[in-house]
mmCIF file of all heavy atoms in Angstrom:
data_model
loop_
_atom_site.group_PDB
_atom_site.id
_atom_site.type_symbol
_atom_site.label_atom_id
_atom_site.label_comp_id
_atom_site.label_asym_id
_atom_site.label_seq_id
_atom_site.Cartn_x
_atom_site.Cartn_y
_atom_site.Cartn_z
ATOM 1 N N PHE K 1 -59.908 -235.312 -186.031
ATOM 2 C CA PHE K 1 -61.121 -234.660 -186.509
ATOM 3 C C PHE K 1 -60.838 -233.176 -186.656
ATOM 4 O O PHE K 1 -60.564 -232.484 -185.676
ATOM 5 C CB PHE K 1 -62.281 -234.893 -185.544
ATOM 6 C CG PHE K 1 -62.784 -236.303 -185.516
ATOM 7 C CD1 PHE K 1 -62.371 -237.181 -184.530
ATOM 8 C CD2 PHE K 1 -63.662 -236.764 -186.492
ATOM 9 C CE1 PHE K 1 -62.827 -238.484 -184.509
ATOM 10 C CE2 PHE K 1 -64.118 -238.064 -186.478
ATOM 11 C CZ PHE K 1 -63.704 -238.927 -185.491
ATOM 12 N N LEU K 2 -60.909 -232.710 -187.897
ATOM 13 C CA LEU K 2 -60.551 -231.315 -188.161
ATOM 14 C C LEU K 2 -61.762 -230.408 -187.998
ATOM 15 O O LEU K 2 -62.867 -230.739 -188.424
ATOM 16 C CB LEU K 2 -59.963 -231.189 -189.561
ATOM 17 C CG LEU K 2 -58.722 -232.059 -189.835
ATOM 18 C CD1 LEU K 2 -58.027 -231.581 -191.100
ATOM 19 C CD2 LEU K 2 -57.742 -232.038 -188.659
ATOM 20 N N GLU K 3 -61.537 -229.269 -187.392
ATOM 21 C CA GLU K 3 -62.613 -228.339 -187.073
ATOM 22 C C GLU K 3 -62.966 -227.421 -188.234
ATOM 23 O O GLU K 3 -64.006 -226.765 -188.205
ATOM 24 C CB GLU K 3 -62.214 -227.510 -185.851
ATOM 25 C CG GLU K 3 -61.979 -228.360 -184.596
ATOM 26 C CD GLU K 3 -61.471 -227.554 -183.424
ATOM 27 O OE1 GLU K 3 -61.224 -226.341 -183.614
ATOM 28 O OE2 GLU K 3 -61.317 -228.119 -182.327
ATOM 29 N N ASP K 4 -62.115 -227.384 -189.256
ATOM 30 C CA ASP K 4 -62.338 -226.469 -190.367
ATOM 31 C C ASP K 4 -63.568 -226.881 -191.185
ATOM 32 O O ASP K 4 -63.651 -227.992 -191.694
ATOM 33 C CB ASP K 4 -61.119 -226.459 -191.309
ATOM 34 C CG ASP K 4 -59.819 -226.311 -190.553
ATOM 35 O OD1 ASP K 4 -59.338 -227.330 -190.007
ATOM 36 O OD2 ASP K 4 -59.289 -225.195 -190.508
ATOM 37 N N TYR K 5 -64.512 -225.958 -191.313
ATOM 38 C CA TYR K 5 -65.693 -226.154 -192.157
ATOM 39 C C TYR K 5 -66.459 -227.424 -191.786
ATOM 40 O O TYR K 5 -66.952 -228.148 -192.654
ATOM 41 C CB TYR K 5 -65.291 -226.185 -193.636
ATOM 42 C CG TYR K 5 -64.338 -225.090 -194.033
ATOM 43 C CD1 TYR K 5 -63.015 -225.381 -194.386
ATOM 44 C CD2 TYR K 5 -64.733 -223.754 -194.025
ATOM 45 C CE1 TYR K 5 -62.127 -224.379 -194.727
ATOM 46 C CE2 TYR K 5 -63.844 -222.740 -194.357
ATOM 47 C CZ TYR K 5 -62.542 -223.061 -194.706
ATOM 48 O OH TYR K 5 -61.652 -222.061 -195.039
ATOM 49 N N THR K 6 -66.572 -227.697 -190.505
ATOM 50 C CA THR K 6 -67.313 -228.868 -190.054
ATOM 51 C C THR K 6 -68.402 -228.465 -189.062
ATOM 52 O O THR K 6 -68.381 -227.361 -188.518
ATOM 53 C CB THR K 6 -66.376 -229.905 -189.399
ATOM 54 O OG1 THR K 6 -65.646 -229.296 -188.331
ATOM 55 C CG2 THR K 6 -65.396 -230.465 -190.414
ATOM 56 N N SER K 7 -69.341 -229.370 -188.845
ATOM 57 C CA SER K 7 -70.531 -229.077 -188.053
ATOM 58 C C SER K 7 -70.389 -229.611 -186.631
ATOM 59 O O SER K 7 -70.017 -230.772 -186.452
ATOM 60 C CB SER K 7 -71.756 -229.717 -188.708
ATOM 61 O OG SER K 7 -71.835 -229.348 -190.079
ATOM 62 N N PRO K 8 -70.691 -228.804 -185.618
ATOM 63 C CA PRO K 8 -70.533 -229.243 -184.225
ATOM 64 C C PRO K 8 -71.286 -230.533 -183.902
ATOM 65 O O PRO K 8 -70.771 -231.393 -183.195
ATOM 66 C CB PRO K 8 -71.084 -228.052 -183.427
ATOM 67 C CG PRO K 8 -70.880 -226.871 -184.322
ATOM 68 C CD PRO K 8 -71.098 -227.385 -185.709
ATOM 69 N N ASP K 9 -72.509 -230.691 -184.415
ATOM 70 C CA ASP K 9 -73.293 -231.888 -184.100
ATOM 71 C C ASP K 9 -72.627 -233.145 -184.656
ATOM 72 O O ASP K 9 -72.504 -234.153 -183.961
ATOM 73 C CB ASP K 9 -74.717 -231.769 -184.649
ATOM 74 C CG ASP K 9 -75.560 -230.789 -183.845
ATOM 75 O OD1 ASP K 9 -75.121 -230.407 -182.742
ATOM 76 O OD2 ASP K 9 -76.643 -230.408 -184.320
ATOM 77 N N LEU K 10 -72.221 -233.101 -185.931
ATOM 78 C CA LEU K 10 -71.551 -234.263 -186.513
ATOM 79 C C LEU K 10 -70.202 -234.498 -185.858
ATOM 80 O O LEU K 10 -69.755 -235.641 -185.742
ATOM 81 C CB LEU K 10 -71.371 -234.073 -188.020
ATOM 82 C CG LEU K 10 -72.625 -234.164 -188.890
ATOM 83 C CD1 LEU K 10 -72.246 -234.218 -190.365
ATOM 84 C CD2 LEU K 10 -73.483 -235.354 -188.521
ATOM 85 N N PHE K 11 -69.545 -233.427 -185.445
ATOM 86 C CA PHE K 11 -68.269 -233.539 -184.746
ATOM 87 C C PHE K 11 -68.452 -234.367 -183.465
ATOM 88 O O PHE K 11 -67.735 -235.338 -183.220
ATOM 89 C CB PHE K 11 -67.751 -232.138 -184.415
ATOM 90 C CG PHE K 11 -66.268 -232.024 -184.300
ATOM 91 C CD1 PHE K 11 -65.502 -231.516 -185.335
ATOM 92 C CD2 PHE K 11 -65.621 -232.419 -183.144
ATOM 93 C CE1 PHE K 11 -64.128 -231.403 -185.228
ATOM 94 C CE2 PHE K 11 -64.243 -232.313 -183.022
ATOM 95 C CZ PHE K 11 -63.497 -231.804 -184.065
ATOM 96 N N ARG K 12 -69.435 -233.980 -182.670
ATOM 97 C CA ARG K 12 -69.698 -234.696 -181.416
ATOM 98 C C ARG K 12 -70.138 -236.129 -181.673
ATOM 99 O O ARG K 12 -69.676 -237.070 -181.014
ATOM 100 C CB ARG K 12 -70.765 -233.960 -180.606
ATOM 101 C CG ARG K 12 -70.288 -232.661 -179.967
ATOM 102 C CD ARG K 12 -71.308 -232.137 -178.984
ATOM 103 N NE ARG K 12 -72.554 -231.781 -179.640
ATOM 104 C CZ ARG K 12 -72.817 -230.573 -180.135
ATOM 105 N NH1 ARG K 12 -71.915 -229.605 -180.034
ATOM 106 N NH2 ARG K 12 -73.975 -230.313 -180.723
ATOM 107 N N ASN K 13 -71.051 -236.311 -182.631
ATOM 108 C CA ASN K 13 -71.563 -237.653 -182.918
ATOM 109 C C ASN K 13 -70.462 -238.584 -183.401
ATOM 110 O O ASN K 13 -70.407 -239.752 -183.011
ATOM 111 C CB ASN K 13 -72.673 -237.580 -183.970
ATOM 112 C CG ASN K 13 -73.945 -236.950 -183.436
ATOM 113 O OD1 ASN K 13 -74.106 -236.797 -182.230
ATOM 114 N ND2 ASN K 13 -74.833 -236.584 -184.326
ATOM 115 N N SER K 14 -69.583 -238.078 -184.260
ATOM 116 C CA SER K 14 -68.519 -238.916 -184.812
ATOM 117 C C SER K 14 -67.531 -239.332 -183.730
ATOM 118 O O SER K 14 -67.064 -240.480 -183.703
ATOM 119 C CB SER K 14 -67.794 -238.178 -185.940
ATOM 120 O OG SER K 14 -68.669 -237.912 -187.016
ATOM 121 N N ILE K 15 -67.209 -238.423 -182.830
ATOM 122 C CA ILE K 15 -66.311 -238.755 -181.723
ATOM 123 C C ILE K 15 -66.972 -239.782 -180.803
ATOM 124 O O ILE K 15 -66.327 -240.733 -180.324
ATOM 125 C CB ILE K 15 -65.911 -237.489 -180.950
ATOM 126 C CG1 ILE K 15 -64.959 -236.634 -181.812
ATOM 127 C CG2 ILE K 15 -65.247 -237.848 -179.618
ATOM 128 C CD1 ILE K 15 -64.565 -235.325 -181.177
ATOM 129 N N THR K 16 -68.271 -239.638 -180.567
ATOM 130 C CA THR K 16 -69.001 -240.601 -179.743
ATOM 131 C C THR K 16 -68.966 -241.988 -180.375
ATOM 132 O O THR K 16 -68.728 -242.995 -179.681
ATOM 133 C CB THR K 16 -70.459 -240.155 -179.553
ATOM 134 O OG1 THR K 16 -70.482 -238.906 -178.859
ATOM 135 C CG2 THR K 16 -71.247 -241.186 -178.765
ATOM 136 N N LEU K 17 -69.193 -242.076 -181.678
ATOM 137 C CA LEU K 17 -69.138 -243.361 -182.375
ATOM 138 C C LEU K 17 -67.753 -243.979 -182.276
ATOM 139 O O LEU K 17 -67.607 -245.186 -182.046
ATOM 140 C CB LEU K 17 -69.526 -243.172 -183.847
ATOM 141 C CG LEU K 17 -70.984 -242.817 -184.134
ATOM 142 C CD1 LEU K 17 -71.175 -242.486 -185.607
ATOM 143 C CD2 LEU K 17 -71.918 -243.953 -183.728
ATOM 144 N N LEU K 18 -66.740 -243.150 -182.452
ATOM 145 C CA LEU K 18 -65.358 -243.639 -182.390
ATOM 146 C C LEU K 18 -65.041 -244.190 -181.002
ATOM 147 O O LEU K 18 -64.464 -245.278 -180.870
ATOM 148 C CB LEU K 18 -64.394 -242.509 -182.742
ATOM 149 C CG LEU K 18 -62.939 -242.903 -182.950
ATOM 150 C CD1 LEU K 18 -62.746 -243.528 -184.319
ATOM 151 C CD2 LEU K 18 -62.029 -241.692 -182.811
ATOM 152 N N LYS K 19 -65.417 -243.469 -179.977
ATOM 153 C CA LYS K 19 -65.118 -243.882 -178.607
ATOM 154 C C LYS K 19 -65.924 -245.122 -178.203
ATOM 155 O O LYS K 19 -65.413 -246.017 -177.531
ATOM 156 C CB LYS K 19 -65.412 -242.730 -177.644
ATOM 157 C CG LYS K 19 -64.458 -241.554 -177.789
ATOM 158 C CD LYS K 19 -64.950 -240.334 -177.050
ATOM 159 C CE LYS K 19 -65.007 -240.519 -175.559
ATOM 160 N NZ LYS K 19 -65.405 -239.269 -174.874
ATOM 161 N N ARG K 20 -67.170 -245.170 -178.627
ATOM 162 C CA ARG K 20 -68.049 -246.250 -178.177
ATOM 163 C C ARG K 20 -67.745 -247.571 -178.875
ATOM 164 O O ARG K 20 -67.751 -248.627 -178.232
ATOM 165 C CB ARG K 20 -69.501 -245.859 -178.423
ATOM 166 C CG ARG K 20 -70.525 -246.910 -177.999
ATOM 167 C CD ARG K 20 -71.922 -246.380 -178.122
ATOM 168 N NE ARG K 20 -72.152 -245.233 -177.261
ATOM 169 C CZ ARG K 20 -73.233 -244.466 -177.312
ATOM 170 N NH1 ARG K 20 -74.184 -244.729 -178.194
ATOM 171 N NH2 ARG K 20 -73.378 -243.436 -176.498
ATOM 172 N N TYR K 21 -67.482 -247.527 -180.173
ATOM 173 C CA TYR K 21 -67.374 -248.762 -180.943
ATOM 174 C C TYR K 21 -65.944 -249.121 -181.358
ATOM 175 O O TYR K 21 -65.607 -250.296 -181.453
ATOM 176 C CB TYR K 21 -68.270 -248.685 -182.185
ATOM 177 C CG TYR K 21 -69.730 -248.561 -181.850
ATOM 178 C CD1 TYR K 21 -70.396 -247.341 -181.979
ATOM 179 C CD2 TYR K 21 -70.454 -249.660 -181.392
ATOM 180 C CE1 TYR K 21 -71.739 -247.217 -181.661
ATOM 181 C CE2 TYR K 21 -71.804 -249.543 -181.079
ATOM 182 C CZ TYR K 21 -72.445 -248.323 -181.212
ATOM 183 O OH TYR K 21 -73.772 -248.207 -180.895
ATOM 184 N N LEU K 22 -65.127 -248.138 -181.646
ATOM 185 C CA LEU K 22 -63.770 -248.431 -182.102
ATOM 186 C C LEU K 22 -62.754 -248.335 -180.981
ATOM 187 O O LEU K 22 -61.684 -248.946 -181.046
ATOM 188 C CB LEU K 22 -63.375 -247.475 -183.234
ATOM 189 C CG LEU K 22 -64.271 -247.498 -184.479
ATOM 190 C CD1 LEU K 22 -63.698 -246.587 -185.554
ATOM 191 C CD2 LEU K 22 -64.447 -248.908 -185.000
ATOM 192 N N LYS K 23 -63.077 -247.517 -179.990
ATOM 193 C CA LYS K 23 -62.182 -247.338 -178.839
ATOM 194 C C LYS K 23 -60.745 -247.028 -179.285
ATOM 195 O O LYS K 23 -59.773 -247.527 -178.734
ATOM 196 C CB LYS K 23 -62.200 -248.591 -177.948
ATOM 197 C CG LYS K 23 -63.570 -248.856 -177.319
ATOM 198 C CD LYS K 23 -63.570 -250.104 -176.464
ATOM 199 C CE LYS K 23 -64.879 -250.245 -175.697
ATOM 200 N NZ LYS K 23 -66.072 -250.286 -176.565
ATOM 201 N N SER K 24 -60.654 -246.207 -180.297
ATOM 202 C CA SER K 24 -59.345 -245.843 -180.828
ATOM 203 C C SER K 24 -58.999 -244.406 -180.448
ATOM 204 O O SER K 24 -59.891 -243.594 -180.169
ATOM 205 C CB SER K 24 -59.337 -245.995 -182.355
ATOM 206 O OG SER K 24 -60.275 -245.119 -182.951
ATOM 207 N N PRO K 25 -57.722 -244.072 -180.434
ATOM 208 C CA PRO K 25 -57.318 -242.711 -180.065
ATOM 209 C C PRO K 25 -57.722 -241.697 -181.129
ATOM 210 O O PRO K 25 -57.803 -242.024 -182.320
ATOM 211 C CB PRO K 25 -55.791 -242.819 -179.956
ATOM 212 C CG PRO K 25 -55.428 -243.965 -180.833
ATOM 213 C CD PRO K 25 -56.562 -244.927 -180.736
ATOM 214 N N TYR K 26 -57.961 -240.493 -180.692
ATOM 215 C CA TYR K 26 -58.317 -239.419 -181.621
ATOM 216 C C TYR K 26 -57.842 -238.098 -181.036
ATOM 217 O O TYR K 26 -57.539 -237.986 -179.846
ATOM 218 C CB TYR K 26 -59.822 -239.371 -181.858
ATOM 219 C CG TYR K 26 -60.601 -238.843 -180.682
ATOM 220 C CD1 TYR K 26 -60.912 -237.489 -180.570
ATOM 221 C CD2 TYR K 26 -60.996 -239.696 -179.656
ATOM 222 C CE1 TYR K 26 -61.594 -237.001 -179.469
ATOM 223 C CE2 TYR K 26 -61.684 -239.218 -178.553
ATOM 224 C CZ TYR K 26 -61.988 -237.867 -178.466
ATOM 225 O OH TYR K 26 -62.663 -237.387 -177.376
ATOM 226 N N GLU K 27 -57.791 -237.104 -181.907
ATOM 227 C CA GLU K 27 -57.513 -235.730 -181.482
ATOM 228 C C GLU K 27 -58.302 -234.777 -182.352
ATOM 229 O O GLU K 27 -58.738 -235.130 -183.459
ATOM 230 C CB GLU K 27 -56.013 -235.401 -181.607
ATOM 231 C CG GLU K 27 -55.132 -236.000 -180.537
ATOM 232 C CD GLU K 27 -53.699 -235.479 -180.611
ATOM 233 O OE1 GLU K 27 -53.520 -234.332 -181.105
ATOM 234 O OE2 GLU K 27 -52.789 -236.210 -180.203
ATOM 235 N N ARG K 28 -58.469 -233.582 -181.844
ATOM 236 C CA ARG K 28 -59.003 -232.491 -182.657
ATOM 237 C C ARG K 28 -57.847 -231.812 -183.375
ATOM 238 O O ARG K 28 -56.706 -231.868 -182.914
ATOM 239 C CB ARG K 28 -59.743 -231.468 -181.793
ATOM 240 C CG ARG K 28 -60.983 -232.014 -181.103
ATOM 241 C CD ARG K 28 -61.517 -231.029 -180.083
ATOM 242 N NE ARG K 28 -62.738 -231.489 -179.467
ATOM 243 C CZ ARG K 28 -63.949 -231.084 -179.816
ATOM 244 N NH1 ARG K 28 -64.091 -230.190 -180.781
ATOM 245 N NH2 ARG K 28 -65.021 -231.555 -179.204
ATOM 246 N N GLY K 29 -58.137 -231.172 -184.486
ATOM 247 C CA GLY K 29 -57.075 -230.483 -185.204
ATOM 248 C C GLY K 29 -57.640 -229.465 -186.174
ATOM 249 O O GLY K 29 -58.853 -229.360 -186.360
ATOM 250 N N VAL K 30 -56.751 -228.715 -186.788
ATOM 251 C CA VAL K 30 -57.124 -227.733 -187.804
ATOM 252 C C VAL K 30 -56.138 -227.828 -188.954
ATOM 253 O O VAL K 30 -54.981 -228.219 -188.781
ATOM 254 C CB VAL K 30 -57.135 -226.293 -187.246
ATOM 255 C CG1 VAL K 30 -58.215 -226.131 -186.195
ATOM 256 C CG2 VAL K 30 -55.776 -225.927 -186.667
ATOM 257 N N LEU K 31 -56.604 -227.475 -190.130
ATOM 258 C CA LEU K 31 -55.742 -227.445 -191.301
ATOM 259 C C LEU K 31 -54.912 -226.164 -191.326
ATOM 260 O O LEU K 31 -55.289 -225.160 -190.714
ATOM 261 C CB LEU K 31 -56.589 -227.516 -192.570
ATOM 262 C CG LEU K 31 -57.126 -228.889 -192.970
ATOM 263 C CD1 LEU K 31 -58.149 -228.745 -194.090
ATOM 264 C CD2 LEU K 31 -55.992 -229.808 -193.416
ATOM 265 N N PRO K 32 -53.793 -226.193 -192.025
ATOM 266 C CA PRO K 32 -53.042 -224.952 -192.221
ATOM 267 C C PRO K 32 -53.917 -223.903 -192.892
ATOM 268 O O PRO K 32 -54.824 -224.237 -193.656
ATOM 269 C CB PRO K 32 -51.890 -225.382 -193.131
ATOM 270 C CG PRO K 32 -51.752 -226.846 -192.913
ATOM 271 C CD PRO K 32 -53.129 -227.351 -192.640
ATOM 272 N N ARG K 33 -53.659 -222.656 -192.597
ATOM 273 C CA ARG K 33 -54.460 -221.560 -193.139
ATOM 274 C C ARG K 33 -54.530 -221.644 -194.668
ATOM 275 O O ARG K 33 -53.534 -221.832 -195.345
ATOM 276 C CB ARG K 33 -53.865 -220.213 -192.741
ATOM 277 C CG ARG K 33 -54.673 -218.996 -193.240
ATOM 278 C CD ARG K 33 -54.014 -217.701 -192.803
ATOM 279 N NE ARG K 33 -54.034 -217.553 -191.352
ATOM 280 C CZ ARG K 33 -55.057 -217.032 -190.680
ATOM 281 N NH1 ARG K 33 -56.124 -216.609 -191.329
ATOM 282 N NH2 ARG K 33 -55.006 -216.917 -189.365
ATOM 283 N N GLY K 34 -55.734 -221.511 -195.182
ATOM 284 C CA GLY K 34 -55.942 -221.531 -196.622
ATOM 285 C C GLY K 34 -56.228 -222.906 -197.201
ATOM 286 O O GLY K 34 -56.601 -223.018 -198.364
ATOM 287 N N SER K 35 -56.058 -223.956 -196.403
ATOM 288 C CA SER K 35 -56.301 -225.310 -196.895
ATOM 289 C C SER K 35 -57.772 -225.687 -196.708
ATOM 290 O O SER K 35 -58.460 -225.170 -195.831
ATOM 291 C CB SER K 35 -55.431 -226.314 -196.152
ATOM 292 O OG SER K 35 -54.070 -226.027 -196.321
ATOM 293 N N ALA K 36 -58.223 -226.624 -197.536
ATOM 294 C CA ALA K 36 -59.589 -227.129 -197.417
ATOM 295 C C ALA K 36 -59.695 -228.405 -198.235
ATOM 296 O O ALA K 36 -58.800 -228.735 -199.017
ATOM 297 C CB ALA K 36 -60.606 -226.106 -197.905
ATOM 298 N N SER K 37 -60.792 -229.115 -198.036
ATOM 299 C CA SER K 37 -61.093 -230.266 -198.879
ATOM 300 C C SER K 37 -62.561 -230.168 -199.295
ATOM 301 O O SER K 37 -63.235 -229.191 -198.988
ATOM 302 C CB SER K 37 -60.798 -231.575 -198.142
ATOM 303 O OG SER K 37 -60.830 -232.672 -199.048
ATOM 304 N N ASP K 38 -63.055 -231.199 -199.961
ATOM 305 C CA ASP K 38 -64.355 -231.100 -200.615
ATOM 306 C C ASP K 38 -65.529 -230.930 -199.656
ATOM 307 O O ASP K 38 -66.601 -230.491 -200.089
ATOM 308 C CB ASP K 38 -64.586 -232.337 -201.485
ATOM 309 C CG ASP K 38 -63.638 -232.385 -202.675
ATOM 310 O OD1 ASP K 38 -63.751 -231.504 -203.551
ATOM 311 O OD2 ASP K 38 -62.788 -233.287 -202.734
ATOM 312 N N HIS K 39 -65.347 -231.272 -198.386
ATOM 313 C CA HIS K 39 -66.447 -231.044 -197.447
ATOM 314 C C HIS K 39 -66.806 -229.559 -197.357
ATOM 315 O O HIS K 39 -67.949 -229.201 -197.061
ATOM 316 C CB HIS K 39 -66.094 -231.584 -196.058
ATOM 317 C CG HIS K 39 -64.955 -230.862 -195.408
ATOM 318 N ND1 HIS K 39 -63.664 -230.932 -195.866
ATOM 319 C CD2 HIS K 39 -64.937 -230.030 -194.329
ATOM 320 C CE1 HIS K 39 -62.887 -230.184 -195.096
ATOM 321 N NE2 HIS K 39 -63.623 -229.632 -194.163
ATOM 322 N N LYS K 40 -65.832 -228.689 -197.634
ATOM 323 C CA LYS K 40 -66.101 -227.252 -197.593
ATOM 324 C C LYS K 40 -67.199 -226.865 -198.584
ATOM 325 O O LYS K 40 -67.995 -225.958 -198.313
ATOM 326 C CB LYS K 40 -64.823 -226.461 -197.890
ATOM 327 C CG LYS K 40 -65.020 -224.943 -197.810
ATOM 328 C CD LYS K 40 -63.751 -224.183 -198.167
ATOM 329 C CE LYS K 40 -63.980 -222.680 -198.100
ATOM 330 N NZ LYS K 40 -62.795 -221.905 -198.532
ATOM 331 N N SER K 41 -67.256 -227.550 -199.704
ATOM 332 C CA SER K 41 -68.280 -227.249 -200.708
ATOM 333 C C SER K 41 -69.677 -227.462 -200.148
ATOM 334 O O SER K 41 -70.604 -226.685 -200.420
ATOM 335 C CB SER K 41 -68.073 -228.133 -201.940
ATOM 336 O OG SER K 41 -66.808 -227.909 -202.519
ATOM 337 N N TYR K 42 -69.844 -228.509 -199.347
ATOM 338 C CA TYR K 42 -71.143 -228.780 -198.730
ATOM 339 C C TYR K 42 -71.398 -227.831 -197.569
ATOM 340 O O TYR K 42 -72.521 -227.358 -197.359
ATOM 341 C CB TYR K 42 -71.203 -230.238 -198.260
ATOM 342 C CG TYR K 42 -71.504 -231.202 -199.389
ATOM 343 C CD1 TYR K 42 -70.483 -231.690 -200.204
ATOM 344 C CD2 TYR K 42 -72.807 -231.608 -199.658
ATOM 345 C CE1 TYR K 42 -70.757 -232.555 -201.251
ATOM 346 C CE2 TYR K 42 -73.091 -232.469 -200.703
ATOM 347 C CZ TYR K 42 -72.065 -232.942 -201.491
ATOM 348 O OH TYR K 42 -72.343 -233.793 -202.536
ATOM 349 N N TRP K 43 -70.360 -227.539 -196.803
ATOM 350 C CA TRP K 43 -70.478 -226.600 -195.687
ATOM 351 C C TRP K 43 -70.911 -225.227 -196.192
ATOM 352 O O TRP K 43 -71.723 -224.550 -195.550
ATOM 353 C CB TRP K 43 -69.136 -226.522 -194.972
ATOM 354 C CG TRP K 43 -69.107 -225.661 -193.754
ATOM 355 C CD1 TRP K 43 -69.465 -225.997 -192.481
ATOM 356 C CD2 TRP K 43 -68.676 -224.296 -193.696
ATOM 357 N NE1 TRP K 43 -69.277 -224.936 -191.626
ATOM 358 C CE2 TRP K 43 -68.794 -223.877 -192.352
ATOM 359 C CE3 TRP K 43 -68.190 -223.396 -194.648
ATOM 360 C CZ2 TRP K 43 -68.456 -222.601 -191.949
ATOM 361 C CZ3 TRP K 43 -67.860 -222.119 -194.239
ATOM 362 C CH2 TRP K 43 -67.993 -221.726 -192.908
ATOM 363 N N GLU K 44 -70.381 -224.795 -197.321
ATOM 364 C CA GLU K 44 -70.760 -223.504 -197.903
ATOM 365 C C GLU K 44 -72.240 -223.445 -198.261
ATOM 366 O O GLU K 44 -72.844 -222.360 -198.267
ATOM 367 C CB GLU K 44 -69.928 -223.234 -199.163
ATOM 368 C CG GLU K 44 -68.471 -222.936 -198.903
ATOM 369 C CD GLU K 44 -67.654 -222.853 -200.173
ATOM 370 O OE1 GLU K 44 -68.061 -223.436 -201.209
ATOM 371 O OE2 GLU K 44 -66.603 -222.198 -200.151
ATOM 372 N N GLN K 45 -72.824 -224.593 -198.546
ATOM 373 C CA GLN K 45 -74.240 -224.642 -198.900
ATOM 374 C C GLN K 45 -75.139 -224.888 -197.690
ATOM 375 O O GLN K 45 -76.347 -225.053 -197.833
ATOM 376 C CB GLN K 45 -74.474 -225.748 -199.940
ATOM 377 C CG GLN K 45 -73.733 -225.551 -201.246
ATOM 378 C CD GLN K 45 -74.118 -224.273 -201.964
ATOM 379 O OE1 GLN K 45 -75.274 -223.819 -201.857
ATOM 380 N NE2 GLN K 45 -73.189 -223.676 -202.689
ATOM 381 N N GLY K 46 -74.537 -224.882 -196.497
ATOM 382 C CA GLY K 46 -75.319 -225.032 -195.278
ATOM 383 C C GLY K 46 -75.590 -226.471 -194.870
ATOM 384 O O GLY K 46 -76.413 -226.719 -193.986
#
């Protein structure tokens, strides 16, 4: 789960869903400087 241009509430909720139902491994991470994907477009709009 990448922290770049993401929302804390959805971050927590998504990790909770993963742990509760999928029970699969996960980690937090960040993209290399200057990188982004289309979620940034929505993040920019709040």
Side-chain angles (χ1 to χ4, degrees):
F1 290 98
L2 302 195
E3 299 175 356
D4 312 80
Y5 314 111
T6 56
S7 308
D9 287 347
L10 288 191
F11 207 101
R12 287 191 296 270
N13 290 346
S14 297
I15 289 177
T16 298
L17 291 173
L18 190 78
K19 291 168 65 176
R20 180 173 298 170
Y21 297 104
L22 301 185
K23 296 179 172 58
S24 62
Y26 72 92
E27 284 188 27
R28 296 170 177 260
V30 295
L31 282 170
R33 182 180 295 274
S35 300
S37 192
D38 292 294
H39 65 292
K40 182 182 179 184
S41 300
Y42 280 85
W43 183 84
E44 290 173 337
Q45 299 299 329

